[in-house]
Amino acid sequence: MRPTVHDVAEAAGVSLATVDRVLNRRAGVRSTTVAKVEAAISRLGYVRDISAANLAKQRIYRLVFIIPDGSNSFMRRLENELEQVKLRSALNRTDITVLKVPAFDGAALARALESIDSKTISGVAVVATESPMVREALARLHRENVHVVTLVSDAPAFKRGDYVGVNNVAAGRTAATLMGRFVGRRPGKLALVAGSMLVRDHVERRMGFEQVITAEFPNLTCLPVVEGRDDAATAREAVAACLSREPEIVGLYNMGAGNRGLIDALSADRAYAELTVIAHELSDHSRRALRDGLFDAVINQDAGHEVRSAVRILQARIDGTAVIDGQESIRIEIYLRDNLP
Amino acid sequence: MRPTVHDVAEAAGVSLATVDRVLNRRAGVRSTTVAKVEAAISRLGYVRDISAANLAKQRIYRLVFIIPDGSNSFMRRLENELEQVKLRSALNRTDITVLKVPAFDGAALARALESIDSKTISGVAVVATESPMVREALARLHRENVHVVTLVSDAPAFKRGDYVGVNNVAAGRTAATLMGRFVGRRPGKLALVAGSMLVRDHVERRMGFEQVITAEFPNLTCLPVVEGRDDAATAREAVAACLSREPEIVGLYNMGAGNRGLIDALSADRAYAELTVIAHELSDHSRRALRDGLFDAVINQDAGHEVRSAVRILQARIDGTAVIDGQESIRIEIYLRDNLP
DNA sequence: TAAATTCTGAGGTACGTAAATCGAAAATTG
DNA sequence: CAATTTTCGATTTACGTACCTCAGAATTTA
């Protein structure tokens, strides 16, 4: 049977109240007495029963998720997964509020962060944009003991919280290796498609991609990035124009959203079936494209995993328990038509 | 605020004891009264507070994991992950017992299953071998309300539990697509290495692999399987012999354990660096081989994820709560040197 | 209608912890 | 040494649920 506070009190030769004061770091206990209690705790191997504690405490994990508004499909997937988690959140004494802020707007993000009341909120997960105001707002939260995880886009200047997401440079490198290996030795050009080069993710993916292509596949050259602006029609036009302009293209890397437009453009001409196409984000569209042979590989990060990880990490930080690294590390997933989940 | 049993009792116009009887399916409640209570429950959206219930119930999730003994490295990884989970299991009121049984021994497995006391054990996770005795033992557990998940190797005849693991045919197909695409159009032979063809996983992976190679890469032919017997020295000898015997080999697929021997054999001759090598299981050895360019890709299933999933699923079945499919589905992971976690 | 049986209510204790009060004891200060 | 402050003990209530008892009400059976 697990030892309880009563056992600890008895073993330490103090009263239950004192054990409680030590456990909850309340004042009014001599340091020698603290030591006695802690000795008893470790001697007995006492661990606090968190569910009982939370029951007594009437604890509710009040978390806030801040994600960008707009049409970015990954953000919409995150939002959708958050809804799923919210449906089950009552079971875990967890209350999640989702705040949507305009994308690429540091000031708006900072305002959202400033609006968080550290009296009632104990954890924040945020898709961070870099800016001094944001940094200061995050620092304020940290000072006021609100735990923070940065989601998807790491804010490198803020090192006091956890990061949930992938390394996008590595994701770009992964795409490049697949591209280079799939294309083979023949020379040719590669078309790069991005939603917008304002998105940090896309910048990083491109960097990783070009690094590897340049260093390891000298037969291939990257064309300037085509911007699809997160819109199917625009993406379709842009890709179609690029493909007809450049007959030597052997491969295409879509580093962001806009798979639908890309698929439309590729479906237009049967000759394009020869192209090696690598895209990001597993969705209904990209799954079908994989099955149909239009896409050769899809790089993905699991939005559901990210949301659940963020919640688990925040809960662990609030409870003061350990996080399981293996469980919370987000993978750069590679999908071919054969290993679709 | 969440509604409690008190609220339900009041709303239904009955006493707390009656609500309790309905909730816990105790006898002695008229069906009309049951209906009244259930109406109130759904009207208020009452959900039982599981941690409070478990506290009151003094519930401990007593789980048994049965895994094969022997040198299979994936099983040893499972065992290791189980140890990690056990370290944290007190926090979750979970008590895990690990039983090791001889590999490939249906009778021994059946005996282990029969030894499980359904009075004290509420969930079993088992790496199942197919056999009538095993099937009967699993059916007994099901009859006695012990929840079962089959781990890694699905026992197809037993459909009353959950499955945690990957589709190994699909894993083999994935390896084949990578192989075919990486090798390119040049003709050649492929060496296949297995631990032992007694292992169901390896049989399935081979089937998937050969399916895809035959159907889609006519330039490639698969050589007969080389058996490494899960032993580094044996594997090294067998692979080296095969490689020197067949000069036309362009690729090598190791569908099971024995990466260490394989790496040794490949390191012996610099000419082998040209080979496309795809292996299973991400370990220190295979990571290094990936980094060094000796391996081109590694297919992996996350042992930690599988163990944690099995535990979560069993807990959910015991509590009668829902399982989150996206969280519990095990992925066929592809690792290149660029996306190593 | 009486007797037997089935339902239901009221109330209690328990699980392990949190948090509070209040008085007593101990330590520190002047 | 007295006055003050700090430390500690004993006890209580509460969280939401489980499970028990016992008496009384409602229903069914004889």
Side-chain angles (χ1 to χ4, degrees):
Chain A
M1 224 48 207
R2 276 174 67 178
T4 74
V5 274
H6 297 83
D7 303 321
V8 173
E10 194 177 356
V14 301
S15 83
L16 223 148
T18 301
V19 174
D20 180 66
R21 287 188 264 255
V22 172
L23 278 175
N24 296 290
R25 307 188 187 292
R26 274 187 268 277
V29 185
R30 223 172 324 170
S31 56
T32 59
T33 313
V34 172
K36 269 201 303 185
V37 172
E38 283 173 346
I41 286 176
S42 68
R43 180 151 39 88
L44 295 183
Y46 168 81
V47 276
R48 189 199 306 250
D49 183 323
I50 293 181
S51 32
N54 287 345
L55 179 62
K57 228 185 292 193
Q58 285 274 74
R59 144 112 76 206
I60 294 177
Y61 300 93
R62 293 189 198 281
L63 311 182
V64 174
F65 276 68
I66 307 181
I67 56 178
D69 210 339
S71 63
N72 182 288
S73 68
F74 188 73
M75 297 307 158
R76 300 287 69 77
R77 282 170 63 200
L78 276 184
E79 190 182 355
N80 183 56
E81 292 290 345
L82 272 166
E83 288 307 314
Q84 305 300 314
V85 171
K86 282 178 75 168
L87 291 179
R88 288 174 271 104
S89 62
L91 286 167
N92 327 313
R93 306 175 166 279
T94 304
D95 177 67
I96 296 176
T97 308
V98 179
L99 256 47
K100 295 204 277 182
V101 297
F104 313 123
D105 186 342
L109 176 56
R111 276 197 302 279
L113 288 167
E114 283 157 10
S115 77
I116 288 170
D117 177 10
S118 60
K119 299 260 181 303
T120 56
I121 303 297
S122 41
V124 174
V126 56
V127 178
T129 313
E130 283 178 75
S131 105
M133 290 167 70
V134 170
R135 219 170 316 154
E136 165 50 27
L138 289 174
R140 196 261 312 183
L141 290 174
H142 180 254
R143 280 196 306 275
E144 298 179 3
N145 293 317
V146 178
H147 301 271
V148 174
V149 316
T150 48
L151 257 181
V152 186
S153 265
D154 196 9
F158 184 69
K159 282 294 161 230
R160 291 142 192 288
D162 297 274
Y163 171 57
V164 173
V166 302
N167 176 340
N168 276 302
V169 178
R173 296 178 63 90
T174 305
T177 298
L178 281 174
M179 178 69 80
R181 296 297 307 258
F182 280 6
V183 167
R185 299 203 194 288
R186 65 207 152 106
K189 295 184 178 173
L190 299 177
L192 307 194
V193 185
S196 146
M197 270 305 160
L198 283 173
V199 190
R200 191 185 144 93
D201 304 2
H202 294 197
V203 174
E204 293 177 344
R205 288 172 189 169
R206 179 191 179 184
M207 190 186 312
F209 189 85
E210 294 199 342
Q211 276 173 9
V212 170
I213 294 294
T214 309
E216 309 202 18
F217 303 99
N219 54 315
L220 299 174
T221 55
C222 295
L223 293 169
V225 172
V226 173
E227 295 201 12
R229 320 249 12 124
D230 275 358
D231 170 72
T234 317
R236 186 169 61 82
E237 297 304 327
V239 170
C242 177
L243 286 175
S244 64
R245 191 168 58 235
E246 299 275 358
E248 294 167 62
I249 288 178
V250 293
L252 198 150
Y253 174 43
N254 180 21
M255 60 193 98
N259 277 333
R260 223 165 54 228
L262 174 58
I263 291 169
D264 289 346
L266 289 172
S267 309
D269 190 331
R270 301 200 51 191
Y272 295 155
E274 294 291 300
L275 293 177
T276 298
V277 180
I278 295 178
H280 276 264
E281 293 195 31
L282 198 61
S283 62
D284 289 344
H285 298 292
S286 59
R287 294 171 80 98
R288 199 164 327 114
L290 267 180
R291 277 196 215 284
D292 297 347
L294 223 50
F295 284 2
D296 296 86
V298 168
I299 314 280
N300 187 63
Q301 52 182 325
D302 186 332
H305 188 182
E306 293 187 4
V307 168
R308 292 186 293 267
S309 268
V311 171
R312 277 193 299 256
I313 289 175
L314 287 174
Q315 290 174 339
R317 295 304 179 204
I318 293 166
D319 286 337
T321 57
V323 305
I324 307 162
D325 290 341
Q327 180 168 224
E328 312 312 353
S329 109
I330 310 295
R331 308 300 163 89
I332 298 171
E333 302 171 338
I334 301 174
Y335 289 108
L336 310 178
R337 90 185 158 330
D338 307 285
N339 68 331
L340 287 172
Chain B
M1 222 49 206
R2 276 174 67 179
T4 72
V5 275
H6 296 84
D7 303 321
V8 173
E10 193 176 356
V14 301
S15 82
L16 222 144
T18 302
V19 173
D20 179 66
R21 287 188 264 256
V22 172
L23 277 174
N24 297 291
R25 308 189 185 293
R26 273 188 270 278
V29 185
R30 223 172 331 189
S31 56
T32 58
T33 313
V34 171
K36 269 201 303 185
V37 173
E38 282 173 345
I41 286 176
S42 68
R43 182 151 36 89
L44 295 183
Y46 168 81
V47 276
R48 191 200 305 251
D49 183 322
I50 294 180
S51 31
N54 286 345
L55 178 61
K57 230 185 291 193
Q58 286 275 75
R59 144 112 76 206
I60 295 176
Y61 301 92
R62 292 187 199 282
L63 311 181
V64 174
F65 275 69
I66 307 181
I67 58 178
D69 209 338
S71 63
N72 183 287
S73 67
F74 187 74
M75 297 306 157
R76 300 288 69 77
R77 282 169 62 201
L78 278 183
E79 190 181 356
N80 184 54
E81 293 290 346
L82 272 166
E83 288 306 314
Q84 305 300 313
V85 171
K86 283 178 75 168
L87 291 179
R88 289 175 269 104
S89 62
L91 286 167
N92 326 313
R93 305 174 165 280
T94 303
D95 176 69
I96 296 175
T97 308
V98 179
L99 256 47
K100 295 204 277 182
V101 298
F104 315 123
D105 187 341
L109 175 56
R111 275 197 302 278
L113 288 167
E114 283 159 10
S115 78
I116 288 169
D117 177 11
S118 60
K119 298 260 180 304
T120 56
I121 303 297
S122 40
V124 174
V126 55
V127 178
T129 313
E130 283 178 78
S131 104
M133 289 166 70
V134 170
R135 217 170 316 155
E136 165 50 27
L138 290 173
R140 195 261 313 186
L141 290 174
H142 180 256
R143 279 196 306 275
E144 298 179 2
N145 293 316
V146 178
H147 300 271
V148 174
V149 318
T150 47
L151 258 180
V152 187
S153 264
D154 195 9
F158 185 69
K159 282 294 161 228
R160 292 142 191 287
D162 297 274
Y163 172 56
V164 172
V166 302
N167 176 340
N168 276 302
V169 178
R173 297 178 63 91
T174 305
T177 299
L178 282 173
M179 178 68 79
R181 297 297 308 259
F182 281 6
V183 167
R185 299 203 193 288
R186 66 208 151 104
K189 295 184 177 173
L190 300 177
L192 307 194
V193 185
S196 145
M197 269 307 161
L198 282 173
V199 189
R200 191 184 143 93
D201 304 3
H202 294 198
V203 174
E204 293 177 345
R205 288 173 189 169
R206 178 190 179 186
M207 190 186 313
F209 189 86
E210 296 200 339
Q211 276 172 8
V212 169
I213 294 294
T214 309
E216 308 202 18
F217 302 98
N219 54 315
L220 299 175
T221 54
C222 295
L223 293 169
V225 172
V226 173
E227 296 201 12
R229 319 253 10 129
D230 276 357
D231 170 72
T234 317
R236 186 169 62 82
E237 296 305 327
V239 170
C242 176
L243 287 174
S244 63
R245 190 169 58 236
E246 300 275 357
E248 296 167 60
I249 288 179
V250 293
L252 198 151
Y253 174 42
N254 180 19
M255 59 193 100
N259 278 333
R260 220 164 57 227
L262 174 57
I263 291 169
D264 288 346
L266 290 171
S267 309
D269 190 331
R270 301 201 50 192
Y272 296 156
E274 293 291 300
L275 292 176
T276 298
V277 180
I278 295 177
H280 277 265
E281 295 196 26
L282 198 61
S283 62
D284 289 343
H285 298 293
S286 59
R287 294 172 80 99
R288 196 163 331 113
L290 267 179
R291 277 195 215 285
D292 297 346
L294 222 51
F295 285 3
D296 297 85
V298 169
I299 314 281
N300 187 62
Q301 53 183 322
D302 186 332
H305 188 183
E306 293 188 2
V307 168
R308 291 186 294 266
S309 268
V311 171
R312 277 193 299 257
I313 289 175
L314 286 174
Q315 289 173 339
R317 295 305 179 205
I318 294 166
D319 286 336
T321 57
V323 304
I324 307 161
D325 290 342
Q327 180 169 225
E328 313 310 354
S329 107
I330 310 295
R331 308 301 163 89
I332 298 171
E333 302 170 340
I334 301 174
Y335 290 107
L336 309 179
R337 90 186 157 329
D338 307 286
N339 68 331
L340 286 172

